[in-house]
Amino acid sequence: AQSVTQLGSHVSVSEGALVLLRCNYSSSVPPYLFWYVQYPNQGLQLLLKYTTGATLVKGINGFEAEFKKSETSFHLTKPSAHMSDAAEYFCAVAAGGYQKVTFGIGTKLQVIP
Amino acid sequence: DTAVSQTPKYLVTQMGNDKSIKCEQNLGHDTMYWYKQDSKKFLKIMFSYNNKELIINETVPNRFSPKSPDKAHLNLHINSLELGDSAVYFCASSQGGSSHEQYFGPGTRLTVT
């Protein structure tokens, strides 16, 4: 079984401030972890993914995430928020076969000018 | 070229009607999915096909029936539509094997009145 918990359904940051979106996962086998972004009225787009190897993963648009096995976490960060980062962000986990990916409930990021 | 496309983008219909949503991917992927996203942005997997074979069938009413004529297409037919079926339906595809990275279509917003 696998699951994802995203802490905070809404996060507000000022433009230029650090973005931190929290994700914890549960998996009985080594997981693959993902962050997706959804802009209004669009589909989901992959930001970054962790499979194996380096635990600090860099993605598009300046985002990065660190896989911490001891904390079962995969938090998403960006040093400086832009207005264009305002969107819904989904953490997801896949473990085992058959391609089943479980998504978190999403975190809506608001960027304040 | 659009990687994963869905038609129609918007669908407004009355209770009791039957409707279909079509999905096509030109990425050469082996696996395709249907997700339902409710008004709170929660994303729930409905079905998954791998090379035209059904591999994931979550707890979904029998009124929903997926059909995959070939591995590039996955359609969703819904019988006897109900108010609770109103949502955004996303199609997605992935390479298969050990790759769980999914590519999403733009979504179909279904409104049942």
Side-chain angles (χ1 to χ4, degrees), chain A residues 32 36 38 46 49 99 101, chain B residues 33 94 97-99 101-102:
Chain A
Y32 289 9
Y36 285 84
Q38 184 180 27
L46 183 70
K49 63 180 180 181
Q99 304 288 307
V101 177
Chain B
Y33 312 79
S94 68
S98 61
S99 173
E101 178 179 338
Q102 297 186 10

Side-chain angles (χ1 to χ4, degrees), chain A residues 52-105:
Chain A
T52 58
T55 56
L56 182 62
V57 180
K58 295 186 184 299
I60 61 173
N61 301 339
F63 284 94
E64 62 182 38
E66 187 171 9
F67 169 64
K68 292 186 177 181
K69 184 178 178 181
S70 60
E71 299 177 8
T72 61
S73 68
F74 191 58
H75 301 331
L76 182 70
T77 61
K78 182 175 180 178
S80 176
H82 295 168
M83 295 300 296
S84 60
D85 294 328
E88 193 90 22
Y89 291 80
F90 293 89
C91 182
V93 61
Y98 284 119
Q99 304 288 307
K100 183 174 178 179
V101 177
T102 300
F103 287 83
I105 62 171

Side-chain angles (χ1 to χ4, degrees), chain B residues 13 22 26 32 43 51 53 56 60 73 79 92 104 106 112:
Chain B
T13 188
K22 296 186 176 183
N26 62 9
M32 296 184 72
L43 200 64
N51 277 322
E53 180 184 350
I56 295 175
V60 176
H73 296 84
N79 290 325
F104 282 77
V112 183

